[in-house]
Amino acid sequence: MNKVVLISGASSGIGEATARVLAAAGHQVFLGARRVDRLEALAAEIGGAYAPLDVTSRESFQSFVDAAVERYGRVDVLVNNAGVMPLSLMSSLKVDEWDRMVDVNIKGVLNGIGAVLPRFTDSGHVVNVASVAAHMVMPTAAVYCATKYAVWALSEGLRQESENLRVTVISPGVTESELADTITEEFSASMMEDFRKVAIPASAIGDAIAYAISQPDSVDVNEIVVRPVAQR
């Protein structure tokens, strides 16, 4: 069954790749991000639709979901993908960047869930993009790991609360994206540059999301971890 799929952070990286994969599979994709020019170009290319979205704003997410319902009449799947990763040592006290990660990576996910749950009828599917950082901690990534563990925990709690709602956590390893572009600390940026040499294409994550979405309504793929073979 082809589904109406909403994707946050769809202007680049995993969000863009997922939109391409799902559109190619016949799903109706509704794209959201702040960079509307990129959304416009992508939607024109793959045959989807779009609306501006700031995931840190509850009102913006609500408007995004409402626009999708107005266009397609329903929502089947939300892919909560938007995220930021300005890694830094805790001792650097980049507190504004800590706040930004909490606002986007945690509150953004909650805003999406809050906006979409009332729009689901008999069933629905929330796909939250976390990270292998939800399962490990490393220097410079303490806050980022904390936000991604929160995504995992929120997803598991949401899953347990409903017999009809499907909830999937996608935990990517090192993947080609613009995430590392948000790093402002030279030490962390240098470390990440070396770490990302084994990155896999973002389409690999899109394929994992497509697999989870394609399962029968009675089957809930709870979590998929996708990482490069060379990543330890």
Side-chain angles (χ1 to χ4, degrees):
M1 173 184 172
N2 294 337
K3 298 181 177 181
V4 176
V5 185
L6 281 58
I7 306 172
S8 71
S11 60
S12 65
I14 291 173
E16 177 185 348
T18 298
R20 293 182 183 278
V21 169
L22 296 183
H27 298 291
Q28 300 288 341
V29 294
F30 195 75
L31 316 174
R34 291 176 300 156
R35 294 178 292 188
V36 178
D37 56 333
R38 291 194 180 190
L39 295 182
E40 183 178 15
L42 178 60
E45 181 181 346
I46 66 176
Y50 68 94
L53 172 61
D54 176 1
V55 300
T56 66
S57 165
R58 187 178 298 122
E59 293 76 17
S60 178
F61 224 131
Q62 188 64 62
S63 296
F64 174 68
V65 172
D66 291 345
V69 173
E70 182 177 354
R71 182 178 182 89
Y72 295 112
R74 71 181 198 277
V75 174
D76 299 313
V77 183
L78 169 65
V79 179
N80 261 325
N81 164 72
V84 293
M85 190 186 70
L87 304 183
S88 65
L89 295 167
M90 295 288 288
S91 58
S92 297
L93 296 178
K94 290 183 174 287
V95 293
D96 289 341
E97 294 182 356
W98 299 354
D99 287 345
R100 180 64 177 163
M101 281 187 276
V102 169
D103 287 344
V104 175
N105 298 356
I106 301 178
K107 292 182 180 178
V109 168
L110 287 170
N111 288 338
I113 292 171
V116 81
L117 282 184
R119 291 297 193 171
F120 290 145
T121 52
D122 295 332
S123 63
H125 195 167
V126 174
V127 179
N128 292 328
V129 178
S131 169
V132 294
H135 303 282
M136 58 183 287
V137 182
M138 66 183 73
T140 75
V143 177
Y144 180 72
C145 292
T147 65
K148 290 304 183 177
Y149 178 81
V151 172
W152 181 92
L154 289 168
S155 303
E156 178 61 11
L158 178 62
R159 181 190 70 80
Q160 293 183 29
E161 290 180 6
S162 174
E163 294 181 355
N164 300 316
L165 180 68
R166 297 198 294 169
V167 181
T168 299
V169 179
I170 303 292
S171 291
V174 186
T175 304
E176 294 174 355
S177 73
E178 297 179 0
L179 265 183
D181 295 348
T182 61
I183 300 174
T184 62
E185 183 176 75
E186 184 176 349
F187 170 77
S188 300
S190 176
M191 185 180 72
M192 185 53 58
E193 182 177 350
D194 185 63
F195 191 62
R196 294 182 66 81
K197 289 179 180 179
V198 298
I200 57 176
S203 59
I205 312 304
D207 289 338
I209 293 173
Y211 170 78
I213 289 174
S214 70
Q215 300 308 299
D217 288 345
S218 60
V219 177
D220 188 5
V221 178
N222 298 149
E223 182 172 13
I224 304 177
V225 178
V226 185
R227 69 181 114 202
V229 173
Q231 184 179 351
R232 296 292 178 262

